[in-house]
């Protein structure tokens, strides 16, 4: 059990004791942030109120992409089994949002039943109506991957105005709702189909303010040659740069995420390395889930504060009796100036303000006279939460992490590359010769010996100074050569015999070929005459 207590007089009278970070977030939200949201109609403008399930649910991964980019196949690849409601094909096949979650028995829960389940974090989706709920299901199945994460499959994004209208619900708004609550957003692109349609562009713009969650996968990359792949990668980065307005480059993973043979296997090593990086990113989600929820609550609180200033400013400028409609139109039209005024008065960053056009559209249907004036106590409660309570929860996050085993996503494709000869890098670099009976360095030792005997060995060993003159010819940085020296000087006498010198040159070769050095010398690289020492 963890607890943290505040230091001011109020907390001494009413100490707050939280069992977990989740309990702390729920209490802070209900007691300090929710009253502010309700007073200024935050839920009508931005996001529905959060519920307990939003704080308790497992990390979620949202897959977004145009049709036939391999979203459903990607989930199938991760789970290594089919899931209820799964359909895969070259044409638009997935026309529903499918939440793939863990369950003791395999089955499908339809959308209308799903949004009344208090244990699922989807209750507020009922605001999007039956047109959406008829195309929203939860596929449950017992799978080890789903014990740690849930995956949201989405309909393939189409192009053209007709398809957008025919959905019957606001597709971008639904994705924005999910984006606020998920831990990772994966945008999938087909290497043969990089065009970003109007709807896809709108979707990416709807994910604004969640760029830290976005990862991009260039899928089906095994179907094109290396030279074409370089051009496709460049074109994708150029297209994303026009839509995602961030100075940082979004991380793009290149690969072929399905279980079929590679059509063009030339880039197998690249695909393996990229897959490992992506898997590590997904596996880190459970460990960082509490921190992500804390971060999202802070972002929500900052937006709620700004929203309160905007609403109270509009209320203050409205006339009490006459000319209400004309004044309303004038205020909505000059909302940009009101933003600037609030920015100056309260020292708020421009990036914290909601989208101007969207806010103007939402205000059209509101009665500005019914808005609340500024209530300092509600704002003070949120400020207190941000300045004191959140700091305490940050300590609790670290305590929880240190007192529990590192959680990672296990099972499915995540187990396929952890052990055995098909793990990433197995038998390469420092792992070369791991299964050989003979010491791998022996292959090149005659050449290394020739160099060794030119360095004036004394009693069969060369000094560090003499070895250094030869080793720096590799042009590797001193820090790297220092690490190689520590690995090669097995008996720690500050000199190298012929076997240790050969080992040092082998490790230099490993590094020059682009591989990483091991932190400790693997058993198969220890010279045969030194194996008793290393043990």
């Amino acid at each position: 059990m963890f607890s943290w207590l505040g230091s001011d007089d109020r907390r001494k009278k009413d100490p707050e004791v939280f069992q977990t970070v989740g309990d702390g977030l729920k209490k802070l939200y209900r007691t300090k942030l929710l009253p502010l949201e309700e007073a200024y109609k935050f839920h009508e403008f931005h996001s529905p109120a959060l519920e307990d399930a939003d704080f308790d649910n497992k990390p979620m991964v949202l897959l977004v992409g145009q049709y036939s980019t391999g979203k459903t196949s990607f989930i199938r690849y991760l789970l290594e089994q089919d899931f209820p409601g799964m359909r895969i094909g070259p044409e638009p096949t997935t026309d529903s949002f499918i939440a793939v979650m863990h369950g003791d028995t395999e089955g499908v829960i339809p959308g209308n039943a799903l949004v009344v389940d208090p244990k699922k974090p989807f209750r507020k989706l009922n605001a999007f109506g039956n047109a959406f709920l008829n195309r929203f299901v939860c596929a449950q199945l017992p799978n080890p991957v789903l014990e740690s994460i849930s995956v949201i499959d989405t309909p393939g994004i189409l192009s053209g105005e007709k398809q957008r209208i025919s959905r019957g619900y606001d597709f971008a708004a639904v994705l924005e709702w999910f984006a606020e609550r998920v831990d990772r957003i994966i945008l999938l692109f087909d290497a043969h189909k990089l065009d970003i349609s109007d709807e896809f562009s709108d979707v990416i713009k709807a994910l604004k303010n969640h760029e830290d969650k976005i990862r991009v996968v260039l899928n089906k990359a095994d179907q094109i040659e290396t030279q074409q792949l370089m051009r496709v990668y460049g074109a994708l980065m150029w297209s994303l740069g026009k839509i995602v307005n961030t100075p940082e480059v979004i991380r793009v993973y290149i690969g072929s995420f399905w279980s079929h043979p590679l059509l063009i296997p030339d880039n197998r090593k690249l695909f393996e390395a990229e897959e490992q990086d992506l898997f590590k990113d997904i596996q880190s989600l459970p460990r960082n889930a509490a921190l992500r929820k804390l971060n999202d609550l802070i972002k929500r609180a900052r937006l709620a504060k700004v929203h309160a200033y905007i609403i109270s400013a509009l209320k203050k400028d409205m006339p009490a009796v006459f000319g209400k409609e004309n004044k309303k139109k004038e205020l909505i039209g000059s909302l940009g100036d009101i933003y600037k005024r609030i920015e100056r008065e309260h020292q708020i960053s421009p990036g914290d303000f909601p989208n101007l056009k969207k806010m103007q559209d939402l205000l059209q249907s509101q009665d500005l006279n019914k808005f609340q004036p500024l209530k300092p106590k509600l704002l003070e409660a949120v400020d207190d939460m941000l300045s004191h309570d959140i700091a305490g929860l940050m300590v609790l996050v670290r305590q929880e992490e240190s007192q529990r085993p590192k959680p990672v996503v296990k099972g499915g494709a995540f187990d396929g590359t952890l052990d055995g000869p098909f793990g990433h890098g197995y038998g390469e670099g420092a792992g070369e010769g791991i299964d050989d009976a003979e010491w791998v360095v022996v292959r090149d030792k005659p050449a290394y010996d020739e160099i060794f005997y030119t360095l004036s060995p004394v009693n069969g060993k060369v000094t560090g100074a003499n070895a250094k003159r030869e080793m720096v010819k590799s042009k590797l940085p001193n820090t790297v050569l220092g690490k190689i020296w520590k690995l090669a000087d097995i008996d720690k006498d500050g000199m190298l015999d012929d076997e240790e010198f050969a080992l040092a040159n082998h490790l230099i070769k490993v590094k020059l070929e682009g591989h990483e050095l091991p932190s400790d010398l693997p058993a198969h690289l220890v010279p045969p005459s030194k194996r008793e020492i290393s043990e």
Side-chain angles (χ1 to χ4, degrees), residues 451 455 468-476 481 512:
I451 302 171
L455 300 177
K468 178 182 178 181
R469 281 199 299 271
E470 180 61 32
M471 292 172 69
V472 294
K473 291 178 182 178
S474 67
K475 299 182 180 178
L476 288 171
L481 292 175
L512 290 175

Side-chain angles (χ1 to χ4, degrees), residues 483-516:
K483 184 174 183 180
I484 290 173
W485 177 273
K486 286 183 180 179
L487 293 171
D489 185 13
I490 294 168
D491 52 17
K492 308 302 177 190
D493 63 354
M495 295 188 289
L496 302 180
D497 63 21
D498 62 318
E499 287 186 332
E500 291 172 327
F501 182 77
L503 173 59
N505 279 276
H506 178 77
L507 293 172
I508 287 173
K509 177 186 170 188
V510 166
K511 187 63 182 175
L512 290 175
E513 289 176 348
H515 302 285
E516 291 302 315

Side-chain angles (χ1 to χ4, degrees), residues 109-118 133:
I109 304 174
N112 282 289
L114 196 57
V115 295
V116 297
D117 185 351
L133 295 179

Side-chain angles (χ1 to χ4, degrees), residues 355-522:
N355 180 272
L356 179 62
K357 178 68 170 63
K358 181 180 176 183
M359 194 71 179
Q360 287 173 324
D361 292 342
L362 290 169
L363 285 169
Q364 299 289 349
S365 59
Q366 296 285 334
D367 184 350
L368 273 57
N369 278 95
K370 292 183 178 179
F371 285 174
Q372 294 289 332
L374 198 63
K375 297 182 177 180
K377 284 189 177 181
L378 291 178
L379 288 163
E380 286 170 10
V382 174
D383 284 333
D384 182 63
M385 179 187 84
L386 292 172
S387 58
H388 296 104
D389 301 313
I390 293 295
L393 274 182
M394 282 293 293
V395 175
L396 187 55
V397 167
R398 299 307 179 197
Q399 288 178 333
E400 283 192 352
E401 285 183 353
S402 65
Q403 297 205 10
R404 66 185 180 196
K406 184 178 179 180
V408 295
V409 183
K410 296 181 180 179
F414 295 97
D415 287 348
T417 55
L418 293 179
D419 302 304
F422 297 99
H424 176 60
Y426 189 93
E428 301 171 5
E432 183 183 358
I434 190 170
D435 295 324
D436 295 351
E438 187 180 51
W439 187 37
V440 67
V441 183
V442 166
R443 301 173 192 171
D444 299 313
K445 191 169 183 294
Y448 300 145
D449 283 347
E450 286 184 23
I451 302 171
F452 177 79
Y453 288 109
T454 66
L455 300 177
S456 307
V458 178
N459 297 325
K461 295 191 175 187
V462 295
T463 63
N466 288 345
K468 178 182 178 181
R469 281 199 299 271
E470 180 61 32
M471 292 172 69
V472 294
K473 291 178 182 178
S474 67
K475 299 182 180 178
L476 288 171
N478 282 351
T479 52
V480 175
L481 292 175
K483 184 174 183 180
I484 290 173
W485 177 273
K486 286 183 180 179
L487 293 171
D489 185 13
I490 294 168
D491 52 17
K492 308 302 177 190
D493 63 354
M495 295 188 289
L496 302 180
D497 63 21
D498 62 318
E499 287 186 332
E500 291 172 327
F501 182 77
L503 173 59
N505 279 276
H506 178 77
L507 293 172
I508 287 173
K509 177 186 170 188
V510 166
K511 187 63 182 175
L512 290 175
E513 289 176 348
H515 302 285
E516 291 302 315
L517 294 172
S519 54
D520 297 303
L521 191 67

